[in-house]
Amino acid sequence: MTTYYKEFQKVLLSVDCIIFGFDQNKLKILIGRRNMDPGRGEWSLYGGFVRNDESLDAAAQRTLLELTGLRNIFMSQVGAFGNIDRDPGERVVSIAYYALINVKDYSERLRKQHGVEWVNIEDIPQMYSDHNAMVAKARKLIQQKIKTNPVGFELLPELFTLTQLQRLYEAVNGEPLDKRNFRKRIKDMDFIEKTELIDKKTSKRGASLYRFNKKAFTEDKSFKL
């Protein structure tokens, strides 16, 4: 490898992953105690340094795979965080990504192995460096995206009730929605299919189960909630 730019200071590059899940009608993220200095023992997102032989996306995908054991996770870049004093150890610029997973798909064994916990988005403690700012920005991006793209289905099981879907939108946006208006708009969308199955676990009366039709969505250019 040739050696150029010797006259310039080197900067470390890392990725930090904000992993969102939805459980018990709450939007949650995975966080754990930092196991390295500086900041050992502080609450933190899960991340790592970018290797010389990988792109930013590849580094984020590797980090997500290490933590969750899941492939083909929905992932999107949040942005760069590069305040000079953001890391007391070295000059580190971090690229944050957010990912959406179904909590039920995440192995309890892996969660314990990595020492991470699901925490309600409204109850996040103060975390290392600028990690709280990363989470806040990621949530705003999801709030914007969920209006025109059904990314929330990544957080739900394959079959879900309309109540579960409404609770998801309320959790992401942090505010209640009118039930009648919400269901009217949802039922007008061809890519949300009603099945013949009934959910009797979360509803005493029994609620119809729905599924998301990705093919129908790609053909629907008018979606806006």
Side-chain angles (χ1 to χ4, degrees):
M1 178 183 293
T2 56
T3 55
Y4 298 107
Y5 313 123
K6 288 183 177 180
E7 67 272 30
F8 297 104
Q9 176 185 338
K10 300 299 186 291
V11 176
L12 294 173
L13 186 62
S14 68
V15 293
D16 282 295
C17 296
I18 304 132
I19 303 175
F20 288 100
F22 180 68
D23 190 37
Q24 298 179 338
N25 296 329
K26 299 291 185 180
L27 184 66
K28 302 187 176 187
I29 65 167
L30 271 179
I31 63 174
R33 295 287 185 176
R34 189 171 165 88
N35 60 6
M36 61 186 297
D37 294 320
R40 186 182 296 272
E42 295 182 30
W43 287 108
S44 171
L45 296 172
Y46 194 84
F49 289 101
V50 179
R51 297 171 180 170
N52 289 334
D53 62 348
E54 61 186 1
S55 66
L56 290 172
D57 284 359
Q61 290 166 352
R62 170 178 55 79
T63 300
L64 288 169
L65 180 61
E66 289 175 357
L67 179 60
T68 68
L70 302 174
R71 299 182 185 274
N72 301 318
I73 296 175
F74 177 91
M75 179 186 79
S76 184
Q77 192 177 116
V78 175
F81 293 77
N83 286 346
I84 295 174
D85 59 350
R86 66 172 301 275
D87 193 308
E90 291 284 351
R91 180 78 168 95
V92 181
V93 173
S94 182
I95 310 300
Y97 285 80
Y98 76 82
L100 308 176
I101 70 172
N102 186 332
V103 171
K104 299 297 188 297
D105 291 338
Y106 183 43
S107 165
E108 185 69 7
R109 178 186 61 79
L110 276 178
R111 186 189 68 78
K112 292 181 179 179
Q113 176 182 320
H114 290 286
V116 291
E117 300 178 18
W118 287 110
V119 177
N120 291 345
I121 191 77
E122 311 295 349
D123 302 323
I124 298 173
Q126 183 59 46
M127 293 190 289
Y128 177 74
S129 185
D130 47 12
H131 289 189
N132 289 76
M134 292 180 180
V135 173
K137 186 173 181 180
R139 188 181 189 185
K140 286 183 179 179
L141 290 176
I142 296 177
Q143 289 171 343
Q144 294 168 3
K145 196 171 185 64
I146 203 171
K147 294 177 182 178
T148 57
N149 193 305
V151 293
F153 292 100
E154 305 287 346
L155 299 166
L156 290 171
E158 181 180 356
L159 297 174
F160 52 86
T161 66
L162 291 185
T163 296
Q164 287 176 306
L165 184 59
Q166 180 174 338
R167 295 290 179 265
L168 171 62
Y169 273 82
E170 290 174 336
V172 169
N173 292 310
E175 59 184 18
L177 296 172
D178 180 80
K179 180 178 178 179
R180 182 178 298 177
N181 290 338
F182 179 81
R183 295 202 172 193
K184 182 178 184 300
R185 284 181 287 179
I186 290 298
K187 288 183 178 180
D188 289 338
M189 299 172 185
D190 293 337
F191 56 85
I192 298 178
E193 298 178 339
K194 184 177 180 180
T195 71
E196 297 179 354
L197 301 174
I198 300 296
D199 171 37
K200 294 184 179 179
K201 292 182 178 180
T202 61
S203 173
K204 293 182 179 179
R205 296 174 58 186
S208 296
L209 287 166
Y210 291 74
R211 66 162 60 96
F212 175 51
N213 186 323
K214 292 185 179 181
K215 181 179 179 181
F217 172 72
T218 59
E219 298 170 354
D220 184 350
K221 305 300 181 183
S222 61
F223 171 64
K224 187 173 183 181
L225 186 64

